Amino acid sequence: MSALSIRNVWMEYTGQIVLERINLEIESGAFVAIVGPSGCGKTTFLRLLLGQERPTRGSIMLDGAPMPDEPGPDRGVVFQRYSVFPHLTVLGNVLLGAELAAAPLLGRLFGAPRRRAIDAARALLAEVGLAESEQKYPAQLSGGMQQRLALAQALICKPRVLLLDEPFGALDPGIRSEIHTLMRRLWRERGVTIVMVTHDLREAFFLGTRVVVLDRLRNRPEERQRYGATITQNIEVHRRRTPDADLESGRDDPARMDPTRRDDPVRQN
Ligand SMILES: Nc1ncnc2c1ncn2[C@@H]1O[C@H](COP(=O)(O)OP(=O)(O)O)[C@@H](O)[C@H]1O
Ligand SMILES: [Mg+2]
């Protein structure tokens, strides 16, 4: 498990401020859901956490140490689409995740380490419900299965932080509800810290232990370049980490929930 500390982070691209004054403490094992209007900088924020970009100002600490400059195996990532390699089988995709982490230069493992990696990949594929599909190629999988595969590929290195960018946005509602249950199980059992961007508020409250809203406080066209988005709401959602019957039966799944119901155990900071 892993904690992230984001202090006074600003992100500016030539002449345009995208994010400003971002302060956020993410406790170890949290599941943070980030919502906000399109173009407000959610993906940019994830790229900062991944180490793909450096903030213009401010600092990001991972477990008390400055964030490494580059993406590493301690941080896994899943995008909305195209996270997996089309020319590799399901097993090959998960294996590649393990191989790149263990042998970054060669990208290959041999002998006993390879056999161990295959065992680990198969166990993970079983966990995400893809055991029967290990020899298939991504094009032969449904959208939901592809995202399960992307999750397995990201989790094989046992990342301390898992970053998800609208991972279920393109899926049908029924499939989403299944993958939500899987997601909660993976989060609960693996103790990984998760930061997920979603455009679905109900998904955010269903999965998140914290829901963070990113938005611009000033939105006049002439001010767009000069002011970035910041955290306008930071809502703690109480949730037990222990298994509960409601979860396994999917009883509190948003897909089955009355959208007008407003008794979510939410406390606003
Ligand atoms: N590499 C980049 N160079 C310049 N501008 C960028 C870059 N990446 C993102 N932006 C700008 O930052 C803003 C936020 O983008 P993004 O983080 O993708 O938003 P979101 O994910 O919330 O839809 C957009 O105006 C986008 O054009
Ligand atoms: Mg985005």
Side-chain angles (χ1 to χ4, degrees):
M1 287 208 270
S2 208
L4 282 160
S5 179
I6 296 119
R7 300 202 185 134
N8 192 28
V9 160
W10 292 63
M11 190 63 194
E12 187 174 346
Y13 292 112
T14 42
Q16 185 197 359
I17 296 173
V18 175
L19 297 171
E20 62 177 64
R21 286 176 291 116
I22 305 283
N23 286 290
L24 183 64
E25 295 296 322
I26 299 179
E27 57 270 47
S28 187
F31 194 141
V32 176
I34 296 182
V35 296
S38 176
C40 76
K42 302 181 296 297
T43 296
T44 302
F45 183 60
L46 279 192
R47 285 160 57 84
L48 289 168
L49 298 186
L50 186 61
Q52 265 182 356
E53 301 271 5
R54 303 198 59 174
T56 316
R57 263 192 270 171
S59 69
I60 301 177
M61 313 277 273
L62 179 60
D63 288 333
M67 180 66 107
D69 271 355
E70 285 176 7
D74 53 348
R75 281 153 291 152
V77 65
V78 176
F79 299 104
Q80 181 170 8
R81 283 179 198 188
Y82 314 121
S83 277
V84 297
F85 298 100
H87 61 288
L88 292 177
T89 62
V90 164
L91 184 62
N93 262 290
V94 181
L95 213 46
L96 184 71
E99 288 185 315
L100 287 176
L105 292 179
L106 276 177
R108 299 241 31 200
L109 290 170
F110 301 95
R114 182 173 168 82
R115 283 195 297 279
R116 276 198 298 276
I118 290 177
D119 289 345
R122 288 205 165 117
L124 198 48
L125 284 172
E127 232 182 301
V128 301
L130 287 176
E132 315 289 298
S133 308
E134 67 167 59
Q135 292 310 326
K136 289 190 176 156
Y137 286 87
Q140 296 170 281
L141 304 178
S142 69
M145 289 163 96
Q146 288 190 26
Q147 289 311 75
R148 286 163 190 267
L149 174 56
L151 280 172
Q153 191 186 52
L155 287 170
I156 187 78
C157 311
K158 299 191 167 58
R160 294 190 284 166
V161 181
L162 181 63
L163 303 168
L164 307 169
D165 196 354
E166 305 197 17
F168 316 129
L171 305 179
D172 294 338
I175 304 291
R176 279 173 93 155
S177 133
E178 261 172 43
I179 218 164
H180 287 159
T181 307
L182 169 68
M183 204 58 239
R184 285 237 299 224
R185 179 157 55 76
L186 291 173
W187 167 71
R188 205 177 56 220
E189 290 175 2
R190 303 192 145 247
V192 63
T193 305
I194 299 182
V195 182
M196 177 186 74
V197 168
T198 173
H199 59 249
D200 180 344
L201 209 55
R202 290 203 298 173
E203 177 172 278
F205 278 101
F206 179 64
L207 291 175
T209 55
R210 182 174 292 284
V211 176
V212 168
V213 181
L214 270 183
D215 207 351
R216 294 163 166 279
L217 292 172
R218 304 172 208 237
N219 227 343
R220 300 220 309 266
E222 65 274 23
E223 291 175 333
R224 277 198 82 90
Q225 308 279 316
R226 284 190 295 131
Y227 298 96
T230 195
I231 293 175
T232 58
Q233 301 227 47
N234 185 347
I235 302 159
E236 194 181 331
V237 182
H238 293 278
R239 173 157 296 128
R240 286 162 296 165
R241 212 185 169 90
T242 48
D244 59 25
D246 281 1
L247 170 59
E248 297 312 329
S249 68
R251 217 178 70 193
D252 57 347
D253 191 302
R256 302 168 198 217
M257 219 154 66
D258 173 1
T260 58
R261 211 179 83 173
R262 306 212 59 176
D263 57 352
D264 285 349
V266 170
R267 175 162 67 80
Q268 196 167 323
N269 286 352

